[in-house]
Amino acid sequence: MFSTKEMPSAQSLFSAYASMAGSIMLFRSMANDLIPAPVRSYVAAGVRRLFNSKSSMFTLVIEETTGISPNQIFDAAEVYLSAKITSDTGRLRISKTPKDKNPTLRLEKGEELTDCFDGIPLLWSINSHDQDKNPNITNNGHALYPPKTERRFFELKFNKIHRQKILNSYIPFLLDHAVAMKDQERTLKLYTMNSAGCYSGKWDSVNLEHPATFETVAMEAAGKKAVMEDLDRFLKRKEFYKRVGRAWKRGYLLYGPPGTGKSSLVAAMANYLKFDIYDLQLGNVMQDSDLRMLLLTTGNRSILVIEDIDCTIELPDRQQGDWRSNNTREIQLTLSGLLNFIDGLWSSCGDERIIIFTTNNKDRLDPALLRPGRMDMHIHMSYCTFHGFKLLAANYLQIGHTQHCLFPEIKTLLDATEVTPAQIAEELMKSEDPDVSLQGLVKLLKRKKLEQEEEEDNGNTNGIINGISNGKSNDNSENSEEEGKLREAKRLKIEAGKKVGTKVTRRKFVRGRKF
């Protein structure tokens, strides 16, 4: 037992503590000044190894940057762990840019999060340390140290017996999963050339907010399924393209009358793949070198679209050129340059690209553009069928799962009439009442049918007249007989004209009453 006289007083204890703390701080300050930083780090690492030598845990440190470049694993971990956040997490960082659709949540410094991979428990934590920048030297030789910057890093802890599996399986899984999450979250872009784009290879962009999907495109189910399966197969065949020595790209030709949904299908493909769209106007490209420059500046995982390829520009062939009197060539974009752009050496400058041509007249295209390897899949966008109409009715009028009383009549008229999905969609937009919209569509289809019948009647009559006239000019020995046939043909044409006039008058009368 100690007597009260032998017990130290509180004042003496506090004085001893203060003296010891001051000595420690003085020693630490002297150590920082006298011992170089690399030596201090080496000693600290040795102490940690001493205490952790008998530990069964292994720690991976994932720095935010690798010197100048960002650390891809750190970025992937940040995205991946944002989906693992639970209600138990105490601190989070939240941010949103004007281009983001939703706010982004990230782990805050000092927070921990658990994960599991193939039964292996994993502990994630995020921390930071201060990093000194290079000192600025003033004119008098003194060094001015700027404020220290914070450098974040992740720590991943797990049992050391799973080290190889984590490095060989979990980290690649983390990178792939983060890429998939970014594709789902990122905003697609629509690129077009600026005023100097064809010379500098620069593109301007806006957010691609086209709502078209494969569910809303009015085309046959078999055709949509074939396109989607072809796109899925293309995405999965990176190693195949590399093994067979081909550029990882795919070409599609969309052809058909105007208004059949070619542009909507392009947007649906972009939304399905999460690819950006580059809209290339060949009329603004002056020479082949500009075309190559534009190709080099397009990003991977993109769709390059050249619309109305048949009427965009008159491409000279491989031998001809448009030379002016002053021996300067105004347009040097050639078919050969376009072919090399699609399927030449320059086409291999990039991965995971899709090239799409659209045209209203497939027969007007040079056969060299259509062969496999350039346009691998030809997709015919035809006039609207009854299946396509039902999709449009479901989208515009919300009656896809019910059978309306006008559907049988509409089906009969669609089988006998050529009308585009755009024309049907425009009619369905006139009213939100299904009865009113469908009645208006029936009237539209009847008008189209009458117009097509009139065109057929006029075509048949002109064919008879032309045939008889040609026969007369080629055989002068039978003038009297041919003249009789010609008079009979004229009489038939007059009678046909009267019938057509009756139809036209009746159609105008009906329009005046009901349309």
Side-chain angles (χ1 to χ4, degrees):
M1 297 294 294
F2 294 96
S3 64
T4 56
K5 292 182 179 182
E6 296 176 348
M7 292 288 292
S9 64
Q11 184 177 1
S12 61
L13 288 175
F14 180 77
S15 298
Y17 173 77
S19 177
M20 182 176 61
S23 300
I24 294 175
M25 293 179 63
L26 178 62
F27 176 77
R28 180 180 179 182
S29 178
M30 291 176 62
N32 289 337
D33 293 338
L34 298 177
I35 302 176
V39 177
R40 297 199 306 269
S41 300
Y42 179 78
V43 173
V47 173
R48 285 196 296 269
R49 285 196 299 269
L50 178 63
F51 284 97
N52 294 332
S53 59
K54 297 182 179 180
S55 174
S56 61
M57 299 300 293
F58 184 83
T59 302
L60 284 178
V61 178
I62 305 171
E63 294 278 356
E64 186 174 10
T65 62
T66 58
I68 299 176
S69 303
N71 188 348
Q72 185 181 3
I73 300 178
F74 181 93
D75 296 338
E78 195 170 40
V79 173
Y80 173 77
L81 294 177
S82 65
K84 300 290 183 177
I85 294 173
T86 64
S87 58
D88 296 332
T89 306
R91 287 167 57 86
L92 296 173
R93 288 187 299 113
I94 185 170
S95 61
K96 184 181 183 302
T97 65
K99 297 181 180 181
D100 292 336
K101 296 180 180 180
N102 299 308
T104 301
L105 295 176
R106 296 289 187 262
L107 288 178
E108 183 53 282
K109 181 176 64 175
E111 290 297 323
E112 293 184 344
L113 191 146
T114 59
D115 191 19
C116 185
F117 179 74
D118 285 350
I120 304 172
L122 306 169
L123 178 63
W124 284 92
S125 63
I126 183 169
N127 295 286
S128 66
H129 58 76
D130 293 334
Q131 180 184 14
D132 291 335
K133 292 185 178 179
N134 293 329
N136 296 324
I137 306 301
T138 62
N139 293 332
N140 57 9
H142 292 87
L144 297 178
Y145 290 88
K148 296 180 179 180
T149 58
E150 184 182 57
R151 190 169 182 177
R152 297 182 300 155
F153 62 92
F154 280 109
E155 287 187 348
L156 174 58
K157 297 181 180 180
F158 51 88
N159 195 302
K160 63 176 57 176
I161 63 175
H162 303 299
R163 175 178 174 176
Q164 292 302 321
K165 187 168 187 177
I166 296 300
L167 292 175
N168 298 333
S169 300
Y170 180 67
I171 298 299
F173 162 79
L174 175 73
L175 293 170
D176 293 341
H177 196 75
V179 169
M181 292 178 63
K182 287 181 179 179
D183 288 342
Q184 293 296 327
E185 295 176 358
R186 77 185 187 99
T187 301
L188 301 183
K189 296 292 184 180
L190 173 62
Y191 291 88
T192 185
M193 287 184 298
N194 57 29
S195 57
C198 58
Y199 304 105
S200 61
K202 293 182 179 179
W203 300 82
D204 290 333
S205 66
V206 296
N207 290 345
L208 177 62
E209 299 178 349
H210 200 293
T213 64
F214 279 105
E215 288 74 20
T216 61
V217 173
M219 61 184 296
E220 292 299 311
K224 287 194 287 189
K225 182 180 179 182
V227 175
M228 295 171 67
E229 289 178 348
D230 191 76
L231 293 174
D232 292 336
R233 184 166 53 252
F234 168 74
L235 291 181
K236 298 176 181 177
R237 304 184 83 182
K238 178 179 180 179
E239 295 301 326
F240 171 81
Y241 278 88
K242 183 178 180 180
R243 177 168 55 85
V244 299
R246 294 187 57 178
W248 192 14
K249 66 178 184 61
R250 189 78 172 159
Y252 294 86
L253 175 68
L254 310 185
Y255 66 98
T260 52
K262 295 186 288 293
S263 298
S264 296
L265 180 58
V266 172
M269 294 169 69
N271 289 327
Y272 182 75
L273 297 173
K274 298 299 179 182
F275 280 16
D276 294 328
I277 294 179
Y278 288 81
D279 182 21
L280 178 58
Q281 301 292 332
L282 288 183
N284 297 331
V285 181
M286 302 301 294
Q287 47 191 338
D288 295 344
S289 59
D290 298 332
L291 198 61
R292 293 193 293 267
M293 180 65 69
L294 290 169
L295 179 63
L296 291 176
T297 54
T298 58
N300 294 338
R301 298 177 61 83
S302 60
I303 298 176
L304 181 65
V305 181
I306 303 178
E307 293 190 284
D308 299 324
I309 183 65
D310 58 314
C311 57
T312 298
I313 189 173
E314 293 294 334
L315 293 174
D317 61 24
R318 303 166 193 260
Q319 303 297 330
Q320 296 176 346
D322 184 16
W323 290 88
R324 298 290 183 177
S325 58
N326 58 358
N327 294 330
T328 60
R329 198 172 179 181
E330 185 180 61
I331 297 179
Q332 302 181 38
L333 179 62
T334 63
L335 176 61
S336 176
L338 182 60
L339 296 179
N340 289 329
F341 172 81
I342 300 171
D343 191 34
L345 292 176
W346 291 96
S347 66
S348 61
C349 300
D351 285 333
E352 218 168 352
R353 285 178 176 167
I354 289 177
I355 300 176
I356 298 179
F357 285 172
T358 70
T359 179
N360 298 332
N361 301 286
K362 179 182 177 182
D363 297 335
R364 292 180 57 183
L365 298 182
D366 192 297
L369 287 170
L370 304 180
R371 71 164 178 80
R374 290 171 180 156
M375 294 295 105
D376 303 289
M377 188 173 187
H378 298 190
I379 304 172
H380 182 219
M381 307 296 292
S382 63
Y383 291 103
C384 191
T385 63
F386 184 65
H387 174 77
F389 157 73
K390 289 193 295 183
L391 286 176
L392 294 174
N395 295 331
Y396 286 86
L397 304 177
Q398 302 295 315
I399 57 174
H401 300 290
T402 59
Q403 184 74 15
H404 195 274
C405 60
L406 292 176
F407 275 19
E409 184 178 5
I410 291 174
K411 183 179 186 305
T412 302
L413 291 171
L414 284 175
D415 292 339
T417 309
E418 292 182 345
V419 60
T420 65
Q423 293 172 317
I424 292 180
E426 182 64 25
E427 193 66 36
L428 297 181
M429 289 179 64
K430 292 182 178 180
S431 175
E432 297 180 0
D433 187 340
D435 294 332
V436 175
S437 293
L438 294 180
Q439 288 173 2
L441 177 61
V442 170
K443 296 175 182 178
L444 171 68
L445 296 176
K446 289 181 178 179
R447 288 201 306 269
K448 290 289 183 182
K449 184 178 180 181
L450 285 175
E451 292 171 359
Q452 292 174 15
E453 289 176 352
E454 292 171 9
E455 291 178 358
E456 292 175 359
D457 291 341
N458 291 334
N460 292 335
T461 302
N462 291 333
I464 295 174
I465 297 296
N466 292 333
I468 295 175
S469 298
N470 292 334
K472 178 183 177 182
S473 61
N474 293 332
D475 189 3
N476 295 325
S477 63
E478 300 179 357
N479 290 336
S480 59
E481 182 179 356
E482 294 300 333
E483 288 178 0
K485 292 181 179 180
L486 181 60
R487 286 194 298 270
E488 180 65 17
K490 289 181 178 179
R491 185 182 65 81
L492 293 175
K493 182 178 180 181
I494 293 173
E495 292 181 358
K498 291 181 180 179
K499 293 180 181 180
V500 172
T502 303
K503 291 182 180 180
V504 173
T505 304
R506 181 186 176 189
R507 179 162 56 86
K508 290 182 179 179
F509 174 72
V510 173
R511 279 184 178 177
R513 291 182 57 188
K514 294 186 178 181
F515 284 68

